[in-house]
Amino acid sequence: FALRHIHCIISIELSESKPQMNTDKKHDSNIQAKINGTTREFKEGISILEAARNLGIEVPTLCHDERLKPCGACRMCLVEVKGSAQLVASCMNKLKDGMEIETHSAKTEKSRKMDLRMLARKYPREEFLKYAEKPFHQLAREYGLNENDFGAEANSKITDDSHAYIKVDMTRCIDCFACVRICEELQGQFVWQIGSRGQNTRIIWDRGATFAESSCVSCGACADVCPTGALEDRSVLENGFPEKWTKTVCPYCGTGCEMEVGVRGDKVVQIKPAMDSPVNHGHLCVKGRYAHNFVDAADRITQPMIRRNGKWGEVSWAEAIDFAAGEMKRIGEKYGNEAIAVLGSARATNEENYVTQKFVRVCLETNNVDCCARVCHTPTAAAMKMMLGTGAATNSFADIEITKAILICGANPTENHPIAGARIKQAVLKGANLIIIDPRKTELTKYADVHLQLRPGTNILLFNALANVIVEEELYDKDFVETRVAEFEEFKTFVAKYSPEDVAEKCGVAAELIRKAARLYATAKPAMSFHGLGMTEHLQGTEGVMTVVNLALLTGNLGKRGAGVNPLRGQNNVQGSAQMGCDPGVLTGGIALDDGREHFENVWGVPVPKSKGYNQLQMMDAAFSGKLKAMWIVGYDVYLTNANAHKTAASFENLELVIVQDLFLNETAKKYGTVFFPVASSFEKDGTFMNAERRVSLLRKTVSPRGNSLSDWEIVCEMARAVGKGEHFDFHSSEDIWNEIRKVWTNAGGITYKRLEDHGLQWNCPDEDHPGTEVLHTESFTKDVRAALRRIDYRPTKEVVSAEFPFLLTTGRTLYHFNAGTMTERTPNILLRPTDLLEISSSDAAEIGVTNSETVLIKSRYGEAKMPVQINDRVQKGELFCTFHSPEIFLNHITSPYRDRFVLAPEFKVTAVKIEKPAKTV
Ligand code: SF4
């Protein structure tokens, strides 16, 4: 009989099977069982399959996967249990005290061989012969099957070649349902479904004539789990299977997923998730899993270049370094070193950022160093540092599975941090409450208990109103407030003026919904919050984050598992680049300049400069006013990504030297670069990254650096030697640098490369016996037992709609592209999302007469951009949303000059605009 018919039969539970063996003495909660003649103790609750595998017995499976609930569809794991007439599925049945089991008896082996034969009969011979590596083919061979057992021809009617990354060939499907289960249980997407039943059972995608039209988000989990190749990565079909695997970290977002990179020759051909990673639990998103082709993109620059008389020309490293160092020296002598600034990179490793800021402080003797955290989460770091003493996430991703309520504010995790998003979705499907605060409907709003769809720019009003309900209805945690919170009475008086009824109209959210959200967050214990750039990229970004911390303090959601305030950091190492000291006021470890000066001077053996230093926005202002003359920009496309691009352009025009260090000639380099240093990508070097939950993870070299590219740290050290300070940069490896970092940053002293070999460590970790810190502030905040509530009044932005500019535009990322698109736009992700899109509500679209995909002109008070329209009701009437990845569209020509009041992060999230139809060209 066919496999599909036995799916239910094997789900028999063995509750009635009678133990046959006498038991000897055993420990509490342990049981004894005999497997293939060996009697052992096992933990109670273990499955028969796990118990056998614990003894090193390889019971074959095709449908079993550690990431999934057992299903027993493939029958390969059937074993004999003494006392049971039928063979039983070892994956589905728990081991019981006294059981006697045979995993490879004549009866089981015969059964397996028979089942394999039946599957083979309907399976294409050609594919069996072609792909020896697939688990089904290997097992068939092990059981003595050969090509003559395989009877079917490939059937083009059930193949599909439409998807950018996954090829579908359902002639190879053995109905193990692994794809259906993983899509549901890991990704929560429900793309693969069982179409019809019985003999006609077929796995189908959810919608559309082709697989490319389905709702697939291209995480690749289905291809990963498929034992036959019915769903297969196109990359291995085109390039062959990997010859070696290396574990490393994803080069994209701040989730920091661990992955296994498969290499053939010197080319990355496949990426799979690290199965045992505490961050991603055997899962990756479309970027981490598939978007790696940028490594060998045709336009990658792999030789240093200098632009002379307007023309780029390739030069040797020696010439490029001599020229850049000479120019720096010239500018320093003419204008002083304060006229030179350097930007570290969220794409570079911790070690590379460390040497970058050290170069600025030791070689240039200034504090003119910053990084792109300035334009994303510096408001978070500042707010959390001011209130709690440490400017980083308080908790861990592992807490998602134990929390009772999740508050997501100004973040879209299923697109921007997809693995964290998938974990959140699974937690909600299993019963956690979900509150979303966002002007736009995101995928997760479908699953939310409450969605507060506020007007952009009204965060402070709304969060004060949430606090008002918690205080007025006495939902706050009285013990926690009494022991760990300061200035409660003052806050109580302050927040009284922000009742939900007072703010409802301005926020555009009904008072009752605000009350509902506050009650849910305050009464679920524990509750955790995640926030993104929708909180930080505002005039009151820093203060917005403070209002989030206020809620956690009031409800006692700090210092415990399943709680906390957790910024979703954007780029893979943005947490690390700032933490390493790429910030004018902060030294490595997040230590304020004056607090750390003495210690750093002892380790470095040179004075730490006292000047205030420019941050990235101040660098632009100083260039605009003629004070700054040179910039060295590591892995960062400032011109494309800074708000208000016309002003950025005018600033760059004034510079005499722009050194760009990157993989590609980015927009900054193309337009303003003087020197280009080509770098090794994250697949081509060692080092460490730091994710959003403070985890330091090991990055490992998987392929050789392309052409003459060098690691960022090697370039910085060469520059240090060229300016005569080489003795402070005598490093020979990333590990050498890390060991110096451990000396200056005592809270990371216990993090050694050796200890990172498994899954990284979360700081604080002061010594080598310390296990790392999953939850901050358990007994006390960093500087004090108590943290004070902050009384933040609402200050509306000047960026408001008018008769001329009637729409409010917010911006964000899409699942398929990453920031400036420098990497993802050079991969087949461009097929999945070819351009930035302007989202507009159907009523607004009808009023101004635009249709789907029509290209429109968006104009703000500062500039204009053209892009195609996508009509949907994710945005409210009067509001627009668009992504900002594509240099062709260059959205920052229209964003505003307003900045956060504390740390100057630009107000990317609110721009008043109008829409026009572009004039027709004749
Ligand atoms: Fe990479 Fe982020 Fe996707 Fe994980 S969630 S695979 S870190 S892009």
Side-chain angles (χ1 to χ4, degrees):
F1 50 23
L3 176 64
R4 58 183 60 118
H5 289 142
I6 55 180
H7 179 51
C8 329
I9 298 171
I10 52 172
S11 304
I12 299 165
E13 287 287 340
L14 277 183
S15 52
E16 266 131 53
S17 68
K18 302 227 173 4
Q20 298 294 304
M21 192 181 68
N22 289 330
T23 54
D24 298 327
K25 207 167 86 188
K26 58 184 187 293
H27 299 302
D28 284 350
S29 79
N30 276 6
I31 54 175
Q32 265 190 351
K34 191 190 231 179
I35 305 181
N36 295 356
T38 303
T39 303
R40 283 282 161 80
E41 283 197 348
F42 298 92
K43 271 209 182 115
E44 196 161 8
I46 195 170
S47 71
I48 299 173
L49 180 68
E50 279 176 285
R53 286 187 173 172
N54 284 353
L55 291 182
I57 299 166
E58 215 18 81
V59 179
T61 56
L62 288 172
C63 70
H64 186 73
D65 189 285
E66 298 295 333
R67 295 166 288 181
L68 301 175
K69 285 187 239 143
C71 133
C74 77
R75 278 177 67 91
M76 291 301 120
C77 75
L78 297 195
V79 294
E80 268 196 279
V81 176
K82 197 168 177 187
S84 171
Q86 292 175 330
L87 295 177
V88 300
S90 61
C91 66
M92 298 276 291
N93 284 283
K94 298 252 178 287
L95 188 74
K96 295 211 169 102
D97 199 26
M99 264 185 178
E100 287 189 35
I101 293 151
E102 285 297 330
T103 62
H104 288 75
S105 66
K107 190 174 169 185
T108 56
E109 294 294 88
K110 189 172 164 203
S111 157
R112 281 176 197 143
K113 189 162 181 176
M114 191 174 77
D115 289 334
L116 285 166
R117 276 232 170 85
M118 282 185 302
L119 293 173
R121 221 172 279 155
K122 298 170 33 272
Y123 194 92
R125 178 181 301 140
E126 196 189 328
E127 311 300 325
F128 168 72
L129 292 173
K130 203 161 157 192
Y131 302 112
E133 301 84 348
K134 301 310 294 182
F136 173 53
H137 306 176
Q138 283 178 353
L139 194 62
R141 278 203 182 82
E142 265 172 45
Y143 277 81
L145 276 66
N146 60 40
E147 62 193 277
N148 299 325
D149 291 297
F150 287 77
E153 299 296 325
N155 177 355
S156 62
K157 285 198 190 122
I158 49 175
T159 60
D160 181 278
D161 209 3
S162 62
H163 193 276
Y165 290 118
I166 300 168
K167 189 163 178 194
V168 181
D169 177 2
M170 282 300 167
T171 50
R172 296 167 72 180
C173 175
I174 57 168
D175 292 347
C176 71
F177 310 120
C179 56
V180 180
R181 289 150 58 218
I182 206 155
C183 192
E184 175 184 329
E185 292 174 32
L186 198 63
Q187 177 58 33
Q189 194 66 18
F190 308 94
V191 175
W192 293 110
Q193 301 174 357
I194 302 171
S196 58
R197 298 272 158 185
Q199 286 287 8
N200 299 321
T201 298
R202 176 103 76 72
I203 308 295
I204 52 171
W205 56 82
D206 59 349
R207 66 169 193 228
T210 64
F211 180 42
E213 294 165 63
S214 73
S215 70
C216 174
V217 291
S218 309
C219 72
C222 57
D224 203 28
V225 81
C226 175
T228 65
L231 303 171
E232 187 62 275
D233 286 348
R234 186 178 288 285
S235 59
V236 293
L237 296 173
E238 287 165 4
N239 300 302
F241 285 87
E243 294 158 337
K244 69 170 181 159
W245 292 91
T246 308
K247 189 169 165 187
T248 187
V249 188
C250 175
Y252 288 103
C253 87
T255 307
C257 296
E258 291 178 283
M259 57 197 209
E260 297 279 352
V261 176
V263 171
R264 191 175 178 89
D266 196 27
K267 185 178 168 66
V268 177
V269 295
Q270 193 174 32
I271 294 180
K272 288 181 177 254
M275 287 299 159
D276 51 353
S277 166
V279 177
N280 47 310
H281 288 183
H283 196 18
L284 290 173
C285 79
V286 57
K287 294 184 283 285
R289 185 171 168 105
Y290 290 122
H292 52 77
N293 285 9
F294 67 87
V295 171
D296 290 309
D299 62 342
R300 178 149 168 210
I301 311 288
T302 59
Q303 187 68 29
M305 298 197 296
I306 297 174
R307 177 144 57 189
R308 290 183 171 112
N309 304 319
K311 282 216 162 105
W312 285 109
E314 290 188 351
V315 295
S316 67
W317 269 112
E319 187 179 345
I321 296 279
D322 264 9
F323 178 82
E327 277 294 276
M328 262 193 190
K329 214 164 159 233
R330 175 187 69 79
I331 288 168
E333 280 165 4
K334 189 167 171 191
Y335 306 101
N337 277 358
E338 290 296 336
I340 305 169
V342 182
L343 291 174
S345 174
R347 325 297 296 142
T349 62
N350 292 318
E351 293 78 358
E352 290 164 340
N353 280 290
Y354 174 78
V355 291
T356 301
Q357 59 86 39
K358 186 175 176 185
F359 178 91
V360 176
R361 290 177 167 128
V362 172
C363 303
L364 300 178
E365 298 173 5
T366 78
N367 285 304
N368 290 345
V369 63
D370 205 14
C371 66
C372 69
R374 179 66 44 193
V375 299
C376 62
H377 269 295
T378 301
T380 294
M384 293 180 74
K385 192 160 181 131
M386 279 189 259
M387 290 183 74
L388 308 176
T390 299
T394 60
N395 285 59
S396 304
F397 290 128
D399 289 9
I400 292 170
E401 280 85 36
I402 55 173
T403 192
K404 294 288 191 307
I406 300 168
L407 169 66
I408 298 178
C409 14
N412 181 6
T414 54
E415 292 213 54
N416 298 339
H417 303 82
I419 297 307
R423 286 179 79 165
I424 290 170
K425 203 196 297 185
Q426 289 297 336
V428 174
L429 288 170
K430 287 178 187 142
N433 290 308
L434 180 63
I435 304 154
I436 298 205
I437 300 179
D438 202 301
R440 174 173 170 259
K441 289 184 188 133
T442 61
E443 190 204 347
L444 283 176
T445 53
K446 281 191 292 206
Y447 302 87
D449 296 277
V450 193
H451 176 201
L452 306 182
Q453 203 168 358
L454 78 173
R455 287 213 175 88
T458 60
N459 291 344
I460 301 288
L461 288 173
L462 185 65
F463 277 83
N464 280 346
L466 291 165
N468 170 292
V469 177
I470 292 167
V471 171
E472 292 298 314
E473 297 188 11
E474 298 199 4
L475 301 173
Y476 54 92
D477 183 325
K478 295 189 178 64
D479 286 347
F480 193 83
V481 166
E482 205 159 287
T483 54
R484 303 284 305 272
V485 175
E487 300 182 31
F488 176 72
E489 288 306 323
E490 295 90 327
F491 184 78
K492 188 175 173 183
T493 310
F494 162 79
V495 89
K497 64 185 176 197
Y498 285 98
S499 77
E501 290 71 19
D502 288 334
V503 307
E505 200 184 325
K506 275 195 186 140
C507 291
V509 181
E512 201 38 49
L513 270 189
I514 301 174
R515 289 191 181 279
K516 185 176 174 190
R519 289 170 193 150
L520 258 183
Y521 176 75
T523 55
K525 302 234 176 251
M528 70 193 302
S529 72
F530 290 98
H531 70 268
L533 306 187
M535 288 306 300
T536 61
E537 289 177 341
H538 288 278
L539 181 80
Q540 285 190 282
T542 304
E543 292 156 293
V545 177
M546 287 176 171
T547 62
V548 180
V549 179
N550 278 345
L551 295 191
L553 284 171
L554 285 170
T555 54
N557 276 309
L558 282 165
K560 59 178 70 140
R561 295 292 312 268
V565 177
N566 300 285
L568 288 164
R569 305 301 306 253
Q571 305 201 51
N572 55 351
N573 203 36
V574 68
Q575 175 82 49
S577 51
Q579 193 74 16
M580 288 302 111
C582 288
D583 180 313
V586 174
L587 292 165
T588 312
I591 301 158
L593 213 53
D594 289 335
D595 295 348
R597 176 168 283 109
E598 197 183 329
H599 177 55
F600 275 70
E601 287 179 350
N602 285 338
V603 178
W604 286 355
V606 291
V608 170
K610 294 201 167 110
S611 61
K612 205 156 171 277
Y614 295 132
N615 70 35
Q616 199 257 97
L617 278 298
Q618 291 165 333
M619 289 173 196
M620 288 292 112
D621 295 346
F624 188 76
S625 65
K627 285 190 206 141
L628 193 79
K629 296 294 180 187
M631 279 184 85
W632 177 7
I633 303 168
V634 179
Y636 184 2
D637 195 347
V638 178
Y639 173 48
L640 180 67
T641 56
N642 260 18
N644 197 14
H646 295 294
K647 171 100 185 274
T648 313
S651 303
F652 272 114
E653 298 283 357
N654 285 346
L655 295 176
E656 294 180 16
L657 172 71
V658 178
I659 305 168
V660 176
Q661 188 161 312
D662 211 320
L663 297 165
F664 301 96
L665 265 188
N666 61 29
E667 299 309 302
T668 309
K670 272 187 212 157
K671 198 130 190 236
Y672 303 106
T674 325
V675 182
F676 188 89
F677 291 156
V679 294
S681 75
S682 66
F683 291 97
E684 298 157 20
K685 62 187 178 186
D686 295 319
T688 59
F689 283 148
M690 189 185 296
N691 78 353
E693 54 168 10
R694 298 170 280 105
R695 183 181 301 275
V696 179
S697 297
L698 214 46
L699 179 78
R700 295 169 176 96
K701 183 170 166 180
T702 61
V703 290
S704 58
R706 297 321 197 211
N708 277 326
S709 57
L710 292 176
S711 295
D712 294 274
W713 70 265
E714 294 175 298
I715 301 168
V716 175
C717 293
E718 282 300 328
M719 282 289 283
R721 285 187 266 278
V723 297
K725 299 277 179 148
E727 73 273 23
H728 300 289
F729 293 81
D730 189 22
F731 302 114
H732 303 283
S733 67
S734 286
E735 189 172 5
D736 265 3
I737 302 170
W738 181 257
N739 285 334
E740 182 170 305
I741 294 170
R742 292 170 59 213
K743 282 189 204 149
V744 291
W745 179 18
T746 48
N747 263 331
I751 303 178
T752 63
Y753 265 38
K754 177 131 193 54
R755 290 187 75 200
L756 292 180
E757 272 170 13
D758 285 340
H759 299 299
L761 282 164
Q762 289 166 276
W763 53 269
N764 301 323
C765 183
D767 60 66
E768 290 188 39
D769 295 323
H770 195 288
T773 305
E774 292 180 340
V775 182
L776 293 176
H777 315 306
T778 48
E779 303 299 324
S780 166
F781 297 104
T782 309
K783 290 195 171 145
D784 202 339
V785 174
R786 288 171 184 272
L789 294 158
R790 293 283 176 143
R791 305 185 288 280
I792 314 285
D793 265 319
Y794 172 56
R795 293 163 202 265
T797 172
K798 290 194 188 125
E799 184 63 27
V800 288
V801 292
S802 62
E804 191 185 357
F805 298 102
F807 293 101
L808 264 192
L809 174 77
T810 63
T811 61
R813 297 203 306 243
T814 140
L815 171 65
Y816 298 103
H817 290 295
F818 202 73
N819 288 13
T822 315
M823 286 146 65
T824 49
E825 288 204 342
R826 289 176 170 89
T827 72
N829 278 30
I830 197 74
L831 304 171
L832 297 168
R833 172 96 172 192
T835 178
D836 286 325
L837 295 169
L838 178 71
E839 292 185 17
I840 182 169
S841 71
S842 47
S843 58
D844 282 335
E847 253 171 50
I848 57 176
V850 293
T851 52
N852 238 343
S853 306
E854 183 178 347
T855 295
V856 295
L857 197 59
I858 320 163
K859 286 188 176 171
S860 73
R861 296 179 178 104
Y862 320 100
E864 59 185 54
K866 263 190 216 165
M867 68 167 70
V869 154
Q870 185 183 58
I871 300 169
N872 64 44
D873 285 318
R874 285 198 283 269
V875 286
Q876 307 202 84
K877 188 167 169 45
E879 291 169 19
L880 305 166
F881 170 86
C882 65
T883 51
F884 52 74
H885 307 292
S886 172
E888 285 75 43
I889 285 169
F890 216 130
L891 188 78
N892 280 315
H893 279 135
I894 66 173
T895 45
S896 87
Y898 297 111
R899 297 170 180 173
D900 173 71
R901 293 182 341 112
F902 283 72
V903 300
L904 304 186
E907 192 175 53
F908 286 105
K909 295 292 180 184
V910 192
T911 309
V913 298
K914 63 180 165 186
I915 296 177
E916 288 178 2
K917 297 204 176 201
K920 287 209 169 70
T921 45
V922 185

